[in-house]
Amino acid sequence: MTTMKEVAAAAGVSLGTVSNVLNHHPSVTEENRRKVQEAVQRLKYRPNVAARTLKTKTSKSLGLIIPDITNPFYPELARGAEDAAKQFGYSLFLCNNDRSAEKEREYINILVEKKVDGIILVKPGIGAEEILDIRGQCAAVLVDVHGAELPECDIINVDDRGGALKAMELLYGLGHRRIALISGELEAMSSRTRQQAYLEFLGSHGIPVDDRLVKRGSYDWHSGYKCAVELLRNPDPPTAIFAANDLMALGAMKAVRERQLSVPGDFSLVGFDDVDMASLCAPPLTTVRQPKYEIGVLGVETLIRQIAAAEKKEAHQPGTVVLDTELILRESTGYARQSSG
């Protein structure tokens, strides 16, 4: 196995320079960086992670635990985290928990055993006590969590309420009054917030809540399709659906078309997320965009700040960041049937 000493000899630099290059230290000149990288590639050098961890107390690795890798929202978030981790000289372990708290615990244990320097938990299913236990073992950032419940933690949220209200204001402005909601799993704060915003909007505009127009999905297109089928069987069906994510909105679009209804001529649809396929379907889906890639980047940057503070034995002040959403107008929304506009 090639050693750092052999890399230094091959590059014609000191052992300290090799170490600085491998740890992405900014003080290294571009010429020395190039020499070391060429020697590393030529000699096929691989760092001894276990030895480095024992020596520096850091593994230069991070963990990201997401709920569902098949949902196109999460790969873009993961890409942001991976790109940011690489920029800081870290590797990233990606774990998919299938929305299972038990599987989430297993991955947390594995990551802690591997001595990762930090973990990003997206929509955590475990309780506050378990989360705080992680925080005592490594840096941690939470995504989609109620900040008031965990003031000791760094949290990244999206303005779900504002995004949902934008969707409802659009549909209302187009003359829709029978607006249905397909929510996500209500264990997640974002889903609860979007549903609360829907109900709040109806109340503030004097529209009675019809429980038959509120369905609970599970974020995949199958559940969106099933919920929409049930909504369309209603004797007084809705003229529009606001779905809590794009996949459910696309499933609803399939159900609407099977009833020989046109979108948006007979029916309007709005999603949430703005995944790639939202702009590729026919008609393209009006949706609320949230900054998926940026969430991943910010998650890693926050972990790095925690890690740096711990290394310097400085206090780190946790906080909650709320990122903005944007309404993306496409062709799946139009005037309600009863509207002359």
Side-chain angles (χ1 to χ4, degrees), residues 43-189:
L43 298 175
K44 295 182 171 57
Y45 171 74
R46 294 292 180 271
N48 187 330
V49 176
R52 182 176 64 189
T53 300
L54 288 171
K55 182 178 180 181
T56 66
K57 306 299 184 183
T58 64
S59 63
K60 301 295 284 186
S61 62
L62 306 171
L64 170 64
I65 304 180
I66 60 173
D68 182 7
I69 193 64
T70 65
N71 184 329
F73 172 86
Y74 294 109
E76 191 167 344
L77 185 156
R79 182 57 185 268
E82 181 185 29
D83 287 351
K86 184 177 180 182
Q87 181 179 355
F88 286 105
Y90 282 74
S91 58
L92 183 76
F93 293 106
L94 176 61
C95 306
N96 171 61
N97 66 24
D98 291 321
R99 304 187 191 280
S100 163
E102 186 56 39
K103 194 172 180 181
E104 184 176 47
R105 290 187 187 96
E106 292 175 5
Y107 277 128
I108 290 169
N109 290 334
I110 290 171
L111 292 171
V112 170
E113 287 175 4
K114 287 183 175 294
K115 300 195 181 301
V116 297
D117 299 320
I119 299 175
I120 302 172
L121 278 172
V122 183
K123 294 182 187 289
I126 59 175
E129 187 175 337
E130 292 176 276
I131 290 173
L132 292 177
D133 183 56
I134 299 168
R135 188 67 184 85
Q137 300 179 72
C138 65
V141 171
L142 312 178
V143 177
D144 196 353
V145 171
H146 198 294
E149 296 174 358
L150 287 160
E152 307 92 337
C153 298
D154 279 303
I155 295 171
I156 301 171
N157 288 330
V158 166
D159 184 11
D160 294 290
R161 178 181 177 276
L165 291 177
K166 290 172 188 173
M168 293 296 291
E169 286 166 0
L170 169 68
L171 293 172
Y172 185 88
L174 291 171
H176 295 278
R177 299 298 181 266
R178 295 282 291 170
I179 304 172
L181 171 72
I182 302 178
S183 76
E185 300 283 357
L186 295 182
E187 291 79 7
M189 187 201 70

Side-chain angles (χ1 to χ4, degrees), residues 269-317:
L269 291 166
V270 180
F272 205 110
D273 286 346
D274 193 29
V275 299
D276 285 345
M277 64 181 68
S279 62
L280 300 176
C281 61
L285 181 67
T286 294
T287 186
V288 178
R289 174 182 293 164
Q290 56 174 319
K292 304 170 284 296
Y293 183 91
E294 290 79 0
I295 292 171
V297 171
L298 183 57
V300 168
E301 289 177 345
T302 307
L303 284 181
I304 298 300
R305 286 198 295 272
Q306 287 186 30
I307 294 166
E311 289 177 346
K312 297 175 183 178
K313 300 187 185 306
E314 296 177 349
H316 172 77
Q317 184 63 43

Side-chain angles (χ1 to χ4, degrees), residues 236-249:
D236 186 13
T239 62
I241 292 177
F242 168 44
N245 83 341
D246 289 343
L247 290 184
M248 293 191 296

Side-chain angles (χ1 to χ4, degrees), residues 173-239:
L174 291 171
H176 295 278
R177 299 298 181 266
R178 295 282 291 170
I179 304 172
L181 171 72
I182 302 178
S183 76
E185 300 283 357
L186 295 182
E187 291 79 7
M189 187 201 70
S190 55
S191 291
R192 296 194 302 273
T193 303
R194 292 170 199 176
Q195 178 163 315
Q196 289 166 359
Y198 164 85
L199 297 173
E200 174 189 328
F201 185 90
L202 295 182
S204 65
H205 288 75
I207 302 175
V209 176
D210 185 342
D211 291 337
R212 296 172 300 174
L213 297 187
V214 180
K215 300 294 179 181
R216 181 174 175 179
S218 54
Y219 297 114
D220 57 32
W221 75 264
H222 300 279
S223 66
Y225 172 84
K226 179 181 177 182
C227 290
V229 167
E230 294 173 358
L231 289 167
L232 293 170
R233 286 175 180 161
N234 193 309
D236 186 13
T239 62

